[in-house]
Amino acid sequence: MYNFELKDHEEPIDVFDDIWVRQEDNEKRTSVALTNQRLLFLGYDKFDCKETLRIARNIDYLRCKEIYYQINLEEIINIEKLENYIVHVSDSVTFEFDNDELFHLILEQLK
């Protein structure tokens, strides 16, 4: 389950779970949501106090992934395919991912 709000005139395109993402030496598997305005990185809040209670079996609740990072699509300078897909957000900020479908959907939104 996902917990995020859309902006005015924003429409969801697709959500991808278990996407490999790397920025410099940092890499992880995460969820990524693509809208017509933003690229959203989603994960569970590890500091949620309800999670401690869930683990201790005192409560049961539906866990939701929340936005921990976002990029406005208008900030993307270009995206290229090398060994992985590389997204250039600025001259000094890039990140990589390895999902073909996400790559093609981002390209469609950038047109």
Side-chain angles (χ1 to χ4, degrees):
M1 192 71 155
Y2 309 100
N3 182 23
F4 61 90
E5 292 186 24
L6 298 173
K7 297 179 178 182
D8 291 338
H9 309 292
E10 186 174 30
E11 299 174 12
I13 306 298
D14 208 343
V15 178
F16 300 88
D17 285 314
D18 201 33
I19 297 285
W20 174 83
V21 177
R22 179 172 69 190
Q23 185 177 32
E24 297 178 5
D25 293 335
N26 301 318
E27 62 181 76
K28 70 184 293 184
R29 291 236 167 244
T30 192
S31 294
V32 176
L34 176 64
T35 74
N36 63 332
Q37 296 179 15
R38 299 181 291 169
L39 192 58
L40 309 171
F41 297 86
L42 308 166
Y44 294 115
D45 181 4
K46 63 183 177 183
F47 300 111
D48 187 352
C49 60
K50 293 181 283 187
E51 184 60 12
T52 303
L53 292 171
R54 184 189 70 81
I55 292 169
R57 299 186 183 202
N58 288 334
I59 67 167
D60 201 14
Y61 76 103
L62 185 60
R63 292 180 72 194
C64 294
K65 292 184 178 184
E66 300 178 358
I67 299 171
Y68 65 85
Y69 191 74
Q70 66 181 349
I71 297 172
N72 292 324
L73 293 181
E74 63 190 23
E75 296 173 356
I76 295 176
I77 296 172
N78 75 342
I79 183 170
E80 63 183 328
K81 168 72 170 137
L82 296 176
E83 184 177 325
N84 297 303
Y85 298 107
I86 301 174
V87 177
H88 299 271
V89 181
S90 71
D91 291 336
S92 61
V93 178
T94 63
F95 70 93
E96 300 177 42
F97 65 92
D98 65 351
N99 185 285
D100 296 329
E101 185 178 356
L102 178 58
F103 170 73
H104 293 292
L105 288 173
I106 292 172
L107 283 181
E108 284 181 23
Q109 294 305 309
L110 293 177
K111 290 182 181 178

